[in-house]
Amino acid sequence: MELSVSSTSPALLNLNHHFLSKNSLPIKIPSLHFANDRKLPSFYRLSKRLSFLRKFASPASSSTAVGPSNDRLPADIKVTETQEPNSRIRVSVEVPPAVCEDCYRRVMNEFTKQAKVPGFRPGKNVPENILLSYVGKQNVQRATVESILKRTLPHAMSSVTGRVLRDSVQIATKFTDMEKTYISLNSLRYDVVVDVAPEVIWVPENGYNNLKIVVEIDSEIDAQRASEQELRQRHKSLGVMRIITDRGLQIGDVAVLDVSATKIDKDESNVQTIPAAESKGFHFDTEHGDKVIPGFLDSIIGIQRGETKSFPLVFPESWKQENLRGVHAQFTVECKELFYRDLPELDDSLADKLLPGCTTLQQVKESLLQKFLEVEQTAREQAADNAILDQLCKMVDIDIPRSLFEEQGRQLYGAKLLEIQANMKLNEQQLASLSSPNAVNEFLEIQKENITRVIKQNLAVGDIFKRENLQFSTEDLVKEVENSIAEFKQQKQEYDEERVKEQVQEILEGAKVLEWLREHSEIQYISR
């Protein structure tokens, strides 16, 4: 068993000390209040991709005092460091009898000051054997071991100061084993394991320079195409739907359909329905034929009200639902109603209805095109950023510390839980279930690959920021912190100003790196 050392450990005389109650590497359950860890509203899109971790602890912020100690020891302790996997260092400490004896004397002096021994005035010297009998020899021994730990840890950990990741210091030796060693040898031996800042190794060295990136862009974000589709939708919204009674379905019509489908096996002996393909009263706009399985629209053209058609189709390998890819299906479609749109003539008279404030159809077209050009540019930049980050992840070799993995995993889980809570309004019992250690552990295991990828991207970006000496202005930092705090206040959410500042700084650093990488990369955009 490994035991945690906390900076908020009980006082020396508290006999119910923390060493007996904590397990190693405890999973920290996400709090049900995420105000301090909430992604900044004004940076939501970027922070979804880059949630940088400021894990490198100074002595003041570490869970254990690991900085140099001003408390001089009566003798030197022996410290041995051993490198372990996952950027972990094992520090083996041997404390000589002289230090143990000095700590014992300090403990006894403290007991003398605070213990109220019958027959002795408070603060007066009490014979050692009487004090031991009153307090309990075992309690004194435990308090002494804790005193030895608290005094020697800063000295033992001085060599790793500045490299230790926050909240990663763990005492790996059982407290009972330390007690036995102290009682039998009047000395102490213990091991401490710490996670340290991982080294970012580029393969090849400086491989992020002159990246060649191929970015796939969805054809639907093409500004010209998107603006034309938007104009068409707005025009259609001004039309009147009329029932078709004298003909079958044509392109441009809207049909109300009942749809069902079954899987087709080779021997046709096992017929299974496909629930995902079933729909009652499905309003199908024939102008959106590209949104359904290929061949569906062609198969129902000409269908009339009250008619049923049955036809086979194959789900393409690119289908969103993986379990349906390549599946041969028999579709049955019943046409319940048919409608056509009686549209007004598309001219300047409709301009203000199509887009308030416009007086001509040309103004409408230009305004919509400008809007979608901005959308297209944002989408292209985001797609490029994602492609760059994915490429960086493949170019770095990082031995990720377990504490860093858990920290990032908890952040992702907390954000996911907050999103679920916002969408579903979970009750306290549901929240408690989703916040359980089992739920957190399951998430960490399932999302292991994704969490690892995010950490690699974050560390790679942070390394580039330092290597290239990138900077952002203080004015930008102050402005964005003020904007973010204003949003928190407007939404009446709790926040920690230092945490907000830290997050803003992380995001500004990430934005600078991505901007620099876009300028120094060869980016090719292709449509899909």
Side-chain angles (χ1 to χ4, degrees), residues 313-373:
L313 292 176
V314 179
F315 285 91
E317 293 298 334
S318 59
W319 196 251
K320 291 182 179 180
Q321 293 169 280
E322 294 184 12
N323 64 317
L324 293 180
R325 292 174 184 173
V327 170
H328 291 250
Q330 184 71 25
F331 280 82
T332 300
V333 176
E334 181 183 357
C335 181
K336 311 297 286 188
E337 296 286 351
L338 284 178
F339 300 93
Y340 74 94
R341 290 187 176 88
D342 188 2
L343 300 177
E345 185 175 352
L346 188 61
D347 56 25
D348 291 346
S349 65
L350 296 181
D352 187 62
K353 294 180 180 179
L354 292 169
L355 190 62
C358 293
T359 57
T360 67
L361 184 60
Q362 186 61 30
Q363 276 186 313
V364 174
K365 292 179 178 180
E366 291 175 355
S367 297
L368 290 177
L369 179 59
Q370 182 58 40
K371 169 189 172 182
F372 283 101
L373 282 172

Side-chain angles (χ1 to χ4, degrees), residues 74-89:
D76 292 334
I77 60 175
K78 182 180 178 181
V79 179
T80 305
E81 290 185 14
T82 305
Q83 186 69 48
E84 296 189 348
N86 303 115
S87 296
R88 170 165 284 195
I89 293 178

Side-chain angles (χ1 to χ4, degrees), residues 58-105:
S58 62
S61 64
S62 175
S63 62
T64 300
V66 295
S69 174
N70 295 324
D71 181 12
R72 294 180 62 86
L73 300 177
D76 292 334
I77 60 175
K78 182 180 178 181
V79 179
T80 305
E81 290 185 14
T82 305
Q83 186 69 48
E84 296 189 348
N86 303 115
S87 296
R88 170 165 284 195
I89 293 178
R90 179 174 293 269
V91 181
S92 299
V93 184
E94 296 184 23
V95 184
V99 175
C100 296
E101 182 64 27
D102 188 63
C103 290
Y104 172 76
R105 290 301 166 193

Side-chain angles (χ1 to χ4, degrees), residues 160-173:
V160 294
T161 298
R163 295 187 291 151
V164 179
L165 299 189
R166 188 163 54 230
D167 300 325
S168 73
V169 180
Q170 305 286 332
I171 295 181
T173 306

